[in-house]
Amino acid sequence: ENNDHDNYDIDDDLLLFDNLILQSSELSNTEAADQLLTYKYNKKQCFIDNDIMECIKSLWNESIIREIYDKRNITRLETSSAHFWNKLDDIQNANYLPTEHDILLCRFVTTGLHEMTFRINNDTLDIIDVGGQRSQRRKWIHCFEYVVAVIFIASLSCYDEILYEDTDVNAMVDQIELFDDICNNTALAETSMILFLNKRDLFTE
């Protein structure tokens, strides 16, 4: 189930793979792939079945899966996913607890508006976290009134990535255009702009 994108369609992802040229041999363990496709995770049991874990391990060891991951600028796989695939034995342990590093590498896509209030000394600071995806932008355009500052977080590593909602658009170009629109919004003429460049480690790699 995917609730992160209003117009998500698995056929869009399959179309990308149809046009993807891969050098590796074809997938050998198709049974594991079929089993994963039909698997429904039970949130109440708080663990993944052992046979499913073995399927994931088997697929991660396939050269074609590794190549698809290496082409994640096109296939749109999360960079941090390899971190978890490489520690499946730890995750499979019933006593596994995520480390701080594990938590930091989890991706949680912001949808809608999320307001947080911080009190520092005698000052109150309200921060509104908004989703940056195209489908989310219309939800926060009205929040500009009474804004003191805008914190814009941009990814440095997406210079060669395609946009999730439009495979014809470069993700970096979309970020630049959005930042330009926000900076030149008349409602923000007196508002401070703070630009954070994120994922420098991935950019360096």
Side-chain angles (χ1 to χ4, degrees), residues 86-105:
N86 287 327
K87 61 179 304 182
L88 288 172
D89 289 331
D90 293 335
I91 296 173
Q92 194 173 6
N93 189 310
N95 296 320
Y96 164 74
L97 287 175
T99 65
E100 184 177 288
H101 187 56
D102 293 338
I103 295 171
L104 288 173
L105 288 178

Side-chain angles (χ1 to χ4, degrees), residues 1-8 78 107-112 131-136 139 164-165:
E1 184 178 1
N2 188 312
N3 296 320
D4 295 336
H5 302 279
D6 292 348
N7 299 316
Y8 176 79
E78 289 296 332
R107 173 90 193 280
F108 183 82
V109 179
T110 302
T111 57
Q133 294 80 22
R134 285 186 172 181
S135 59
Q136 297 297 315
K139 300 178 182 179
Y164 193 96
E165 299 94 337

Side-chain angles (χ1 to χ4, degrees), residues 73-85:
N73 62 313
I74 299 173
T75 58
R76 302 185 294 202
L77 294 177
E78 289 296 332
T79 301
S80 59
S81 57
H83 168 79
F84 297 101
W85 292 333

Side-chain angles (χ1 to χ4, degrees), residues 100-174:
E100 184 177 288
H101 187 56
D102 293 338
I103 295 171
L104 288 173
L105 288 178
C106 287
R107 173 90 193 280
F108 183 82
V109 179
T110 302
T111 57
L113 306 175
H114 300 269
E115 185 172 357
M116 293 156 284
T117 300
F118 299 90
R119 289 180 174 82
I120 304 175
N121 297 326
N122 295 322
D123 296 322
T124 300
L125 180 65
D126 291 317
I127 295 180
I128 301 176
D129 185 19
V130 299
Q133 294 80 22
R134 285 186 172 181
S135 59
Q136 297 297 315
R137 295 172 192 173
R138 65 179 182 274
K139 300 178 182 179
W140 50 257
I141 198 70
H142 64 280
C143 294
F144 287 155
E145 192 175 9
Y146 307 119
V147 169
V148 175
V150 171
I151 302 174
F152 191 94
I153 302 175
S155 169
L156 282 172
S157 63
C158 69
Y159 63 92
D160 63 345
E161 297 177 7
I162 57 176
L163 194 64
Y164 193 96
E165 299 94 337
D166 188 344
T167 57
D168 293 326
V169 177
N170 177 275
M172 178 66 79
V173 171
D174 182 69

Side-chain angles (χ1 to χ4, degrees), residues 153-161 170-172 175-176 195-205:
I153 302 175
S155 169
L156 282 172
S157 63
C158 69
Y159 63 92
D160 63 345
E161 297 177 7
N170 177 275
M172 178 66 79
Q175 284 188 140
I176 294 172
L195 174 63
F196 280 134
L197 299 178
N198 194 21
K199 301 185 179 179
R200 191 182 69 174
D201 54 333
L202 299 178
F203 177 70
T204 302
E205 290 179 12

